[in-house]
Amino acid sequence: ADIYERTARELAQQGLGCECLGGGRLSHRPEERKIHVYGYSVGFGRADHSVTTEKLKAEYPDYEITWADEGY
């Protein structure tokens, strides 16, 4: 929520708006080149982790990137 609120304020100063579509967590293991997306946000619910995963794969093509709806 802290990151979202800060980002929303910064965007509002530029005349833009935003909406949080959900949340989750990341497990990043750089030594293994792995990222796992999982869980949800109590305040915002669960994001569509498949979308997050695809965006991460585009940015980190040499990583193994996985996701699951389990976990908090």
Side-chain angles (χ1 to χ4, degrees), residues 50-60:
S50 66
V51 172
T52 304
T53 299
E54 290 307 310
K55 293 189 179 297
L56 287 168
K57 284 180 178 179
E59 191 68 28
Y60 301 96

Side-chain angles (χ1 to χ4, degrees), residues 5 9 13 17 20 23 26 29 32 34 37 40-42 50 52-53 59-60 66 70:
E5 290 170 5
R9 275 195 308 273
Q13 291 173 352
C20 182
L26 298 175
R29 294 184 293 191
E32 299 174 37
K34 292 182 178 182
V37 183
Y40 61 94
S41 163
V42 172
S50 66
T52 304
T53 299
E59 191 68 28
Y60 301 96
T66 58
E70 294 82 34

Side-chain angles (χ1 to χ4, degrees), residues 16-42:
L16 302 170
C18 64
E19 176 184 0
C20 182
L21 302 177
R25 301 183 186 284
L26 298 175
S27 169
H28 182 207
R29 294 184 293 191
E31 67 284 349
E32 299 174 37
R33 303 189 85 65
K34 292 182 178 182
I35 298 174
H36 183 66
V37 183
Y38 66 98
Y40 61 94
S41 163
V42 172

